[in-house]
Protein backbone atom coordinates (compact mmCIF):
# COMPACT_ATOMS: atom_id res chain seq x y z
CA UNK A 1 0.00 0.00 0.00
CA UNK A 2 1.27 3.46 -0.89
CA UNK A 3 1.77 5.96 1.89
CA UNK A 4 1.00 9.50 0.82
CA UNK A 5 2.97 12.56 1.76
CA UNK A 6 0.29 14.77 3.29
CA UNK A 7 1.73 17.33 5.70
CA UNK A 8 2.71 20.73 4.35
CA UNK A 9 5.89 20.71 6.42
CA UNK A 10 7.01 17.42 4.86
CA UNK A 11 6.28 18.71 1.35
CA UNK A 12 8.27 21.88 2.06
CA UNK A 13 11.22 19.90 3.41
CA UNK A 14 11.37 17.76 0.27
CA UNK A 15 10.98 20.81 -1.97
CA UNK A 16 13.80 22.70 -0.20
CA UNK A 17 16.26 19.91 0.51
CA UNK A 18 15.37 17.21 -1.99
CA UNK A 19 17.53 16.19 -4.89
CA UNK A 20 15.95 16.87 -8.30
CA UNK A 21 15.86 14.56 -11.32
CA UNK A 22 13.97 15.52 -14.45
CA UNK A 23 12.75 14.51 -17.89
CA UNK A 24 10.80 16.54 -20.43
CA UNK A 25 7.31 16.00 -19.02
CA UNK A 26 7.88 15.84 -15.24
CA UNK A 27 10.49 15.76 -12.53
CA UNK A 28 10.91 14.17 -9.13
CA UNK A 29 12.36 15.43 -5.87
CA UNK A 30 13.80 12.84 -3.49
CA UNK A 31 14.74 13.16 0.17
CA UNK A 32 15.72 10.44 2.61
CA UNK A 33 13.38 10.08 5.59
CA UNK A 34 13.85 8.18 8.84
CA UNK A 35 10.94 5.83 8.24
CA UNK A 36 10.74 2.22 7.18
CA UNK A 37 8.67 3.00 4.10
CA UNK A 38 8.42 5.49 1.26
CA UNK A 39 5.99 8.37 1.16
CA UNK A 40 4.81 9.69 -2.19
CA UNK A 41 3.38 13.03 -3.25
CA UNK A 42 2.09 14.01 -6.68
CA UNK A 43 1.73 17.68 -7.61
CA UNK A 44 -0.08 18.72 -10.76
CA UNK A 45 -0.67 22.44 -11.02
CA UNK A 46 -3.41 24.35 -12.76
CA UNK A 47 -0.83 25.29 -15.39
CA UNK A 48 -1.00 21.70 -16.67
CA UNK A 49 -4.73 21.94 -17.32
CA UNK A 50 -7.59 23.93 -15.86
CA UNK A 51 -9.86 20.88 -15.80
CA UNK A 52 -9.72 18.78 -12.65
CA UNK A 53 -10.69 15.71 -14.67
CA UNK A 54 -7.44 15.89 -16.66
CA UNK A 55 -5.30 16.57 -13.59
CA UNK A 56 -6.89 13.67 -11.70
CA UNK A 57 -6.33 11.34 -14.64
CA UNK A 58 -2.62 12.17 -14.60
CA UNK A 59 -2.54 11.70 -10.81
CA UNK A 60 -4.25 8.31 -11.07
CA UNK A 61 -1.74 7.21 -13.70
CA UNK A 62 1.19 8.05 -11.45
CA UNK A 63 -0.47 6.37 -8.48
CA UNK A 64 -0.84 3.20 -10.54
CA UNK A 65 2.77 3.30 -11.76
CA UNK A 66 3.98 3.75 -8.18
CA UNK A 67 1.70 1.00 -6.88
CA UNK A 68 3.04 -1.48 -9.42
CA UNK A 69 6.68 -0.55 -8.78
CA UNK A 70 6.65 0.05 -5.02
CA UNK A 71 8.37 -3.25 -4.23
CA UNK A 72 11.18 -2.44 -6.68
CA UNK A 73 11.96 0.91 -5.00
CA UNK A 74 14.31 1.22 -2.03
CA UNK A 75 12.44 2.13 1.15
CA UNK A 76 13.00 5.14 3.41
CA UNK A 77 12.51 8.04 1.00
CA UNK A 78 10.06 10.86 0.40
CA UNK A 79 9.38 11.20 -3.33
CA UNK A 80 7.43 14.02 -4.95
CA UNK A 81 6.43 13.94 -8.61
CA UNK A 82 5.88 17.36 -10.18
CA UNK A 83 4.21 17.46 -13.58
CA UNK A 84 5.01 19.95 -16.32
CA UNK A 85 2.42 21.17 -18.81
CA UNK A 86 3.48 18.79 -21.61
CA UNK A 87 2.49 15.76 -19.53
CA UNK A 88 -1.12 15.84 -20.72
CA UNK A 89 0.08 14.79 -24.20
CA UNK A 90 2.37 12.04 -22.91
CA UNK A 91 1.08 8.44 -23.03
CA UNK A 92 1.01 6.19 -19.95
CA UNK A 93 3.76 3.93 -21.29
CA UNK A 94 6.13 6.89 -21.70
CA UNK A 95 5.38 8.12 -18.16
CA UNK A 96 6.08 4.63 -16.82
CA UNK A 97 9.36 4.42 -18.71
CA UNK A 98 10.44 7.93 -17.69
CA UNK A 99 9.67 7.34 -14.02
CA UNK A 100 11.71 4.14 -14.08
CA UNK A 101 14.57 6.07 -15.68
CA UNK A 102 14.42 8.81 -13.03
CA UNK A 103 14.29 6.31 -10.17
CA UNK A 104 17.31 4.57 -11.64
CA UNK A 105 19.20 7.88 -11.94
CA UNK A 106 18.30 8.65 -8.32
CA UNK A 107 19.69 5.22 -7.36
CA UNK A 108 16.35 4.21 -5.81
CA UNK A 109 15.77 0.91 -7.60
CA UNK A 110 16.66 -2.28 -5.79
CA UNK A 111 19.22 -4.46 -7.49
Amino acid sequence: MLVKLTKKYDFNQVMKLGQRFFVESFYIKVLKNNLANNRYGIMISLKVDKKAVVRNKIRRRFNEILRLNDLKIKQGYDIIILAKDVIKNTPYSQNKQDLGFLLQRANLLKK
Side-chain angles (χ1 to χ4, degrees):
M1 183 176 132
L2 294 179
V3 179
K4 293 186 179 182
L5 198 58
T6 55
K7 303 238 186 299
K8 185 175 182 175
Y9 174 79
D10 294 332
F11 262 99
N12 288 339
Q13 286 296 105
V14 176
M15 294 305 287
K16 284 183 196 173
L17 304 173
Q19 197 172 8
R20 181 178 163 173
F21 302 92
F22 57 93
V23 291
E24 181 184 355
S25 56
F26 64 95
Y27 63 97
I28 63 171
K29 287 221 167 199
V30 179
L31 183 67
K32 187 148 181 69
N33 63 27
N34 294 325
L35 303 174
N37 56 353
N38 289 337
R39 296 185 298 180
Y40 301 101
I42 301 170
M43 295 177 65
I44 300 155
S45 96
L46 282 170
K47 292 178 185 176
V48 172
D49 200 307
K50 299 287 186 208
K51 297 178 184 175
V53 173
V54 175
R55 294 192 311 272
N56 288 334
K57 180 180 178 182
I58 296 166
R59 192 173 292 116
R60 284 192 310 268
R61 285 180 172 184
F62 277 116
N63 278 326
E64 182 65 10
I65 293 168
L66 290 170
R67 185 185 69 80
L68 293 174
N69 293 311
D70 190 41
L71 296 177
K72 299 175 187 173
I73 301 172
K74 292 179 184 176
Q75 298 300 304
Y77 292 91
D78 290 339
I79 301 170
I80 296 179
I81 300 172
L82 298 114
K84 297 180 184 177
D85 60 348
V86 295
I87 193 138
K88 61 184 172 186
N89 301 324
T90 310
Y92 173 83
S93 59
Q94 184 66 39
N95 291 339
K96 185 175 180 179
Q97 183 180 1
D98 287 345
L99 186 60
F101 171 74
L102 291 180
L103 292 172
Q104 185 176 3
R105 282 196 50 213
N107 198 22
L108 292 179
L109 293 179
K110 292 179 183 175
K111 297 186 184 215

